[in-house]
Amino acid sequence: MLSIHQMNTYKPLNVAFTHGVGTWLHTTDGRKILDALGGIAVSGLGHAHPKLTKAIAEQAGRLIHTSNLVNIPEQAALADKLCALAAMENAFFCNSGAEANECAIKIARLYGHQRGIANPQIIVMERAWHGRTLATLAATGSRKAQAGFEPLVTGFIRVPYNDLDAIKTIAAHNHDVVAVLSEVLQGEGGIVAARTDYLRELRAFCTEKDWLLMIDEVQSGIGRTGKWFAHQWAGIVPDVMPLAKGLGSGVPIGACLAHGKAATVFKPGNHGTTFGGGPLVSVAALRTLQIMEEEGLLANATAMGNVVADGLKATLAGVAGVVEVRGQGLMLGLELNRPCGEIVEMALEDGLLTNVTQDCVIRILPPLIINEAEAHEMVKRLSTVVKRFLAKASGISIQAA
């Protein structure tokens, strides 16, 4: 229950948790809930991972914050690690995905001005999600989220997702474009993947036009799809890559990585933050990456993602109202042919925490540590709820479904 002193910005589920262990959450009324949401793709290591909590506690006992007015060795080590994993050159650390995308937008604009373009434009996608700050909200493809916050920040040109011809048409008539900002696997947009050939051709086209290719990996990065970053499935390297969510396993940290010409755009004074990349959050992120390597969580994301996806396809085969199971690794979506927001409450009653986006897509983002037994249990609970929901919505008895 929200306090009367909290701003009315959320409609939380009627549940609260006392603690979590691995892939399970424990409620204040003594129930045990299987986590299929992972804090919205944040809790890759699950809950109360002993190696992570030990590292955070030890660092908190040494030093939490200094500011970026001094050198931060933990931040430097994290930058080195991330750039090695991503084949990028440098990193700016912040506190969230929206801030990481703000950084990307600022890099693109300054890049344009340095090339003599007075009104630099960024191509963005329909149904994209990049954040709720004024600039990232303008880049986001959701009128529902934008409504009431006009005038929106200008400088964005929207095109259909997965449509290179639309981008080429704009290029032929607009010489102020400096960058393309896109997810490669839309999360809030309904778990929709970009085609591999499209990504490769987009990379080549941006290089040809001297544009920055900016890939938003806030939700899809940090092993969620079975690669460190989802764009790596296409074998490409972006010029700019915003990150957050799974990077700190729940400790708020974001990063914006840059490569090539984008890596030299910022100079001292062009951008900054008080909290970004402090000792505590940098240790949490660095330890997260190390644990993922030690425990083989990228391979586990692929293997368990296959278990969940294949299981749902098998148990829901032929069920009227089921449109598609899609996604990659442990970033999955189950689309129904009707709005299904009430499934969230129904699933919670059956001991499963999940989420619905785009009105009719059930989003499945469990911790990357999930094991096979838990994956099968997740399939069982979710498919049962979906069948019950569809039968109820169709006026059919559950036995007939």
Side-chain angles (χ1 to χ4, degrees):
M1 178 185 239
L2 288 175
S3 162
I4 61 170
H5 299 292
Q6 291 176 262
M7 283 194 182
N8 186 26
T9 54
Y10 303 110
K11 286 186 176 180
L13 294 169
N14 187 27
V15 66
F17 301 109
T18 59
H19 65 287
V21 180
T23 314
W24 297 87
L25 289 160
H26 296 260
T27 69
T28 53
D29 59 359
R31 299 174 63 216
K32 189 177 176 183
I33 306 294
L34 183 57
D35 187 0
L37 185 57
I40 318 179
V42 168
S43 305
L45 300 183
H47 306 285
H49 193 294
K51 295 177 185 176
L52 177 66
T53 56
K54 182 175 184 288
I56 291 173
E58 289 177 350
Q59 182 59 41
R62 289 192 297 267
L63 189 63
I64 293 176
H65 175 75
T66 57
S67 90
N68 286 291
L69 297 177
V70 300
N71 287 317
I72 303 174
E74 299 85 359
Q75 182 186 128
L78 177 59
D80 291 345
K81 182 66 174 178
L82 279 173
C83 287
L85 294 174
M88 303 290 272
E89 292 179 42
N90 54 26
F92 174 85
F93 293 101
C94 50
N95 311 289
S96 68
E99 287 181 52
N101 277 311
E102 283 274 350
C103 180
I105 291 166
K106 287 184 71 174
I107 288 174
R109 287 197 171 189
L110 187 55
Y111 171 72
H113 283 288
Q114 289 172 349
R115 295 173 59 203
I117 298 173
N119 186 28
Q121 305 286 303
I122 300 171
I123 293 176
V124 293
M125 307 296 145
E126 292 178 357
R127 297 176 74 170
W129 188 275
H130 300 295
R132 291 184 183 271
T133 64
L134 284 176
T136 59
L137 187 64
T140 289
S142 169
R143 276 303 301 151
K144 180 179 178 181
Q146 293 170 344
F149 298 104
E150 297 85 354
L152 298 176
V153 175
T154 59
F156 299 100
I157 303 170
R158 197 167 309 281
V159 300
Y161 190 54
N162 260 329
D163 189 343
L164 187 62
D165 286 341
I167 293 174
K168 289 182 175 181
T169 297
I170 290 169
H173 299 94
N174 188 321
H175 302 294
D176 289 335
V177 173
V178 297
V180 175
L181 173 61
S182 178
E183 300 149 286
V184 296
L185 184 54
Q186 290 186 329
E188 297 289 339
I191 313 297
V192 182
R195 299 188 315 275
T196 298
D197 61 336
Y198 163 80
L199 290 172
R200 291 171 177 166
E201 291 169 7
L202 179 60
R203 171 67 280 181
F205 189 68
C206 285
T207 300
E208 175 190 330
K209 302 300 293 184
D210 208 19
W211 295 351
L212 301 181
L213 176 59
M214 308 197 300
I215 300 294
D216 179 349
E217 292 270 10
V218 167
Q219 187 168 146
S220 58
I222 314 299
R224 178 58 46 187
T225 68
K227 296 275 191 185
W228 281 110
F229 312 104
H231 68 265
Q232 291 175 330
W233 289 104
I236 63 171
V237 177
D239 300 297
V240 181
M241 180 174 63
L243 298 171
K245 289 194 180 289
L247 179 57
S249 296
V251 174
I253 181 171
C256 185
L257 276 59
H259 171 77
K261 50 187 175 285
T264 59
V265 170
F266 278 166
K267 300 295 186 292
N270 288 143
H271 199 40
T273 172
T274 297
F275 295 104
L280 181 67
V281 297
S282 292
V283 163
L286 192 59
R287 196 70 185 102
T288 292
L289 300 175
Q290 292 167 343
I291 293 167
M292 289 180 65
E293 289 180 321
E294 293 166 4
E295 300 188 2
L297 295 189
L298 271 66
N300 195 62
T302 296
M304 294 304 101
N306 288 338
V307 169
V308 174
D310 292 346
L312 288 173
K313 290 174 184 176
T315 57
L316 297 174
V319 175
V322 174
V323 176
E324 183 182 22
V325 177
R326 59 176 179 261
Q328 192 154 24
L330 287 171
M331 188 171 177
L332 300 170
L334 168 57
E335 184 176 358
L336 305 184
N337 68 353
R338 66 201 71 185
C340 59
E342 67 182 276
I343 273 184
V344 176
E345 289 279 6
M346 293 172 64
L348 192 59
E349 291 173 3
D350 281 12
L352 183 70
L353 181 63
T354 189
N355 170 252
V356 168
T357 189
Q358 292 295 315
D359 294 328
C360 57
V361 180
I362 303 165
R363 192 162 40 161
I364 306 159
L365 304 164
L368 305 183
I369 60 165
I370 189 172
N371 62 38
E372 188 167 356
E374 291 166 338
H376 284 299
E377 183 65 23
M378 191 171 291
V379 169
K380 177 183 175 183
R381 295 189 187 195
L382 183 55
S383 60
T384 299
V385 169
V386 167
K387 289 175 182 178
R388 191 165 73 244
F389 166 78
L390 290 171
K392 174 185 172 184
S394 302
I396 304 171
S397 70
I398 190 64
Q399 291 80 9

